[in-house]
Amino acid sequence: MSEIPNRLWIANAWADARSGATFATTNPATGEVITRVAEARSEDVDLAVEAARAAMRDPAWRRMNPHTRAELLWKLADALEANADELAALETADNGKTYFESRKVDLPSVVENFRYFAGVADKVHGSTIPVAGPHLNYTLREPVGVIGIITPWNFPLSLAAWKVAPALATGNAVVLKPAEQTPLTALRLGELAAQVGFPAGVLNVVPGFGPTAGSALVRHPDVDAIAFTGSTEVGKTVMREAADTLKKVSLELGGKSPNIVFADADLKEAVKGASTGIFYGKGEVCAAGSRVLVERPVYDDFVAQFAARAQSMTVGDPMQKSTRLGAIVSAEQLERVMGYVESGKAEGARLVTGGERATVNGKGNFVKATVFADVTPEMRIAREEIFGPVAAVIPFEDVDDAVSIANRTIYGLAAGVWTRDVGKAHRVAQEIHAGTVWINTYNQYDSASPFGGYKQSGFGRDLGWEAALEKYTQVKSVWVALDR
Ligand code: NAI
Ligand code: MG
């Protein structure tokens, strides 16, 4: 591995924080400090925003031929692919997810994402509009300007790519603040962007904490838009703080997604799907199917098979091939997850399996795959986002009951439906208040398919070219008199 990136990335150069401050980033599987990283505070955010502003004035970026912009994005995808082993190892060290997930799922999707948006870069155009009078009217789609991107720790590089790729494809400049738990891959992304030829200031990366670096970005008068992924609570703060400067805001927030298993489903597939739904990525997934709704006639059978599958999820060293559940990202998150386990027990849910911590060589933040059954929709474990490998299984009576329970949440990010009845599947998909519905599958993503929330799961969409245009461009209407 080349040197571990640990300074701020501003205007295509490494920089220390003005204050000299640094913070430790830790490997959650071992508790060891990977490196200390420069900690951006408001004065550093100022410099990064200035660099981005300068890039927006620089003809090298502002007037860049769109085909060239596309080519740069494609080259960045190539560079990410060429460095995939290193990036995946950094991601796993920082986040605790299995190397398999980092290398075989996250990295390929990041590469695909940059290629997809490379294809968008030279297809951003307005329209000609038939208006009254002797006038020609047309629209231009212009970049919004400087985009502040704030990302969480669960899919550090992927979620950065979801926003950085479309923002750059549409000609904006970016200041990216990665989560303090997992800043490393974002820094390498900045460095690789420079290596393939993005002009200085187009992509700046400022690791730091939310209330300082994050808030400074949100409040900055020279930042035109904020694209945020993280908790619903912080999303609300971001929206409030962005109001003073009337920034364009998009929020991809939490969820409590229902995974609905009907009695006529292929039960084996449904068990597998429910299992990936909640245990993939240690359950630290915004779209995690954390509420598993099961129709009465198959309820007992399902719970037994689901619990058996949970028990087979090997907890261990994320670098080991046999490991299915890596380490929870931080000690703080581990405490939060264990707190929910206690709350489930206290509120009378039946702990079927898991609910315990684990260690590897006496170290690390591990939790066993946990299944609670006989959960009622009122319990905290059925209402609040846990963000850990904890499933809440809830029985239901019929279609209406399932839909009613599924929608009884402040969230609306995703849902799963398992049934062999085609009509029922599509009907339920229409009734669910969520931005994504998976039928007889779960956790599918594609750069071309929009992803985002209903209700308090936020607004604005990531992925897909239409969403990119909506978020990262603004429309200018140009009028021309034809009679003079
Ligand atoms: P968080 O929402 O605090 O962190 C997400 C990002 O927001 C990080 O980059 C953080 O530094 C930044 N941030 C925090 N406070 C900020 C502020 N005042 N202004 C601007 N930026 C700020 O999430 P946290 O505390 O790490 O996790 C808490 C819970 O949030 C988790 O247990 C989970 O339920 C949820 N979460 C949801 C995510 C999702 O993908 N929807 C991702 C991460 C967490
Ligand atoms: Mg936080």
Side-chain angles (χ1 to χ4, degrees):
M1 201 192 283
S2 59
E3 235 172 276
I4 294 173
N6 61 7
R7 298 167 77 196
L8 313 179
W9 182 255
I10 299 176
N12 283 359
W14 296 115
D16 290 320
R18 293 291 283 274
S19 68
T22 61
F23 65 97
T25 187
T26 306
N27 182 334
T30 62
E32 280 152 23
V33 173
I34 305 165
T35 184
R36 294 193 65 88
V37 179
E39 184 204 325
R41 296 188 182 160
S42 70
E43 62 270 24
D44 306 294
V45 170
D46 286 347
L47 289 175
V49 173
E50 241 169 71
R53 225 37 294 158
M56 288 308 292
R57 286 189 302 266
D58 181 0
W61 183 238
R62 201 157 74 96
R63 296 269 165 247
M64 184 180 279
N65 176 338
H67 307 305
T68 311
R69 211 162 61 216
E71 205 177 306
L72 285 184
L73 284 159
W74 194 273
K75 281 188 186 159
L76 181 51
D78 289 347
L80 289 160
E81 195 167 50
N83 291 280
D85 290 348
E86 180 214 331
L87 286 159
L90 273 183
E91 200 81 312
T92 286
D94 233 3
N95 167 281
K97 65 174 70 188
T98 65
Y99 183 73
F100 176 84
E101 289 178 17
S102 296
R103 182 65 187 82
K104 299 294 183 193
V105 183
D106 290 14
L107 258 298
S109 81
V110 166
V111 170
E112 179 204 78
N113 208 231
F114 276 96
R115 291 198 177 128
Y116 175 82
F117 284 108
V120 170
D122 54 4
K123 295 163 196 74
V124 180
H125 51 72
S127 43
T128 316
I129 299 159
V131 290
H135 294 113
L136 167 67
N137 178 255
Y138 64 91
T139 57
L140 296 172
R141 277 210 174 262
E142 299 186 330
V144 172
V146 174
I147 315 285
I149 295 178
I150 300 176
T151 48
W153 39 259
N154 51 343
F155 292 86
L157 189 59
S158 304
L159 295 178
W162 282 20
K163 299 182 196 303
V164 169
L168 299 187
T170 45
N172 298 277
V174 168
V175 178
L176 166 63
K177 195 211 78 68
E180 57 272 25
Q181 295 86 350
T182 55
L184 301 179
T185 47
L187 290 168
R188 278 290 279 149
L189 177 67
E191 188 181 29
L192 290 172
Q195 280 170 14
V196 303
F198 280 94
V202 170
L203 176 58
N204 309 279
V205 187
V206 287
F209 294 92
T212 48
S215 177
L217 196 56
V218 173
R219 291 172 170 278
H220 204 296
D222 263 344
V223 172
D224 300 290
I226 292 287
F228 173 86
T229 298
S231 61
T232 291
E233 192 195 332
V234 173
K236 291 176 186 177
T237 305
V238 166
M239 201 167 158
R240 270 193 295 269
E241 294 198 339
D244 284 338
T245 45
L246 282 178
K247 283 184 180 63
K248 198 170 172 181
V249 173
S250 61
L251 303 170
E252 199 265 274
L253 307 174
K256 194 70 195 177
S257 299
N259 207 348
I260 308 170
V261 180
F262 286 101
D264 61 4
D266 178 333
L267 204 63
K268 205 170 137 217
E269 287 301 321
V271 167
K272 266 203 265 178
S275 176
T276 359
I278 184 61
F279 300 131
Y280 186 83
K282 313 159 260 169
E284 295 168 349
V285 178
C286 47
S290 51
R291 289 186 297 149
V292 184
L293 277 46
V294 185
E295 200 166 11
R296 278 281 182 210
V298 293
Y299 182 76
D300 290 336
D301 200 6
F302 177 92
V303 169
Q305 290 188 40
F306 187 39
R309 205 167 169 97
Q311 280 157 11
S312 74
M313 303 281 305
T314 311
V315 179
D317 176 356
M319 296 303 290
Q320 285 288 326
K321 264 203 168 127
S322 55
T323 298
R324 290 292 169 274
L325 276 180
I328 302 293
V329 71
S330 64
E332 187 192 2
Q333 187 63 19
L334 176 71
E335 288 314 312
R336 199 175 287 150
V337 172
M338 293 312 293
Y340 278 109
V341 169
E342 287 315 310
S343 140
K345 289 191 216 163
E347 289 192 289
R350 175 162 59 96
L351 179 62
V352 186
T353 185
E356 288 169 342
R357 293 186 53 171
T359 55
V360 173
N361 302 322
K363 291 188 247 175
N365 310 327
F366 298 90
V367 177
K368 291 185 185 166
T370 300
V371 175
F372 277 106
D374 307 345
V375 176
T376 65
E378 293 71 35
M379 292 178 185
R380 274 183 65 211
I381 56 167
R383 288 186 290 115
E384 297 177 17
E385 184 172 51
I386 299 174
F387 237 58
V390 181
V393 187
I394 306 171
F396 68 85
E397 306 302 335
D398 57 24
V399 174
D400 288 348
D401 192 31
V403 168
S404 149
I405 297 172
N407 287 337
R408 212 178 301 164
T409 168
I410 61 166
Y411 296 111
L413 195 57
V417 181
W418 298 84
T419 174
R420 285 191 175 97
D421 180 334
V422 177
K424 182 160 76 185
H426 291 285
R427 272 197 318 277
V428 172
Q430 291 184 8
E431 294 301 319
I432 299 285
H433 303 152
T436 295
V437 177
W438 288 297
I439 296 174
N440 293 329
T441 184
Y442 207 88
N443 270 343
Q444 298 298 327
Y445 301 88
D446 192 290
S447 299
S449 179
F451 182 82
Y454 279 29
K455 303 201 276 185
Q456 291 190 36
S457 291
F459 50 83
R461 293 290 177 270
D462 286 314
L463 310 180
W465 62 268
E466 286 167 298
L469 293 188
E470 193 136 307
K471 265 168 89 162
Y472 300 109
T473 70
Q474 50 195 346
V475 176
K476 179 180 282 173
S477 175
V478 182
W479 290 79
V480 187
L482 297 176
D483 58 347
R484 58 203 76 162

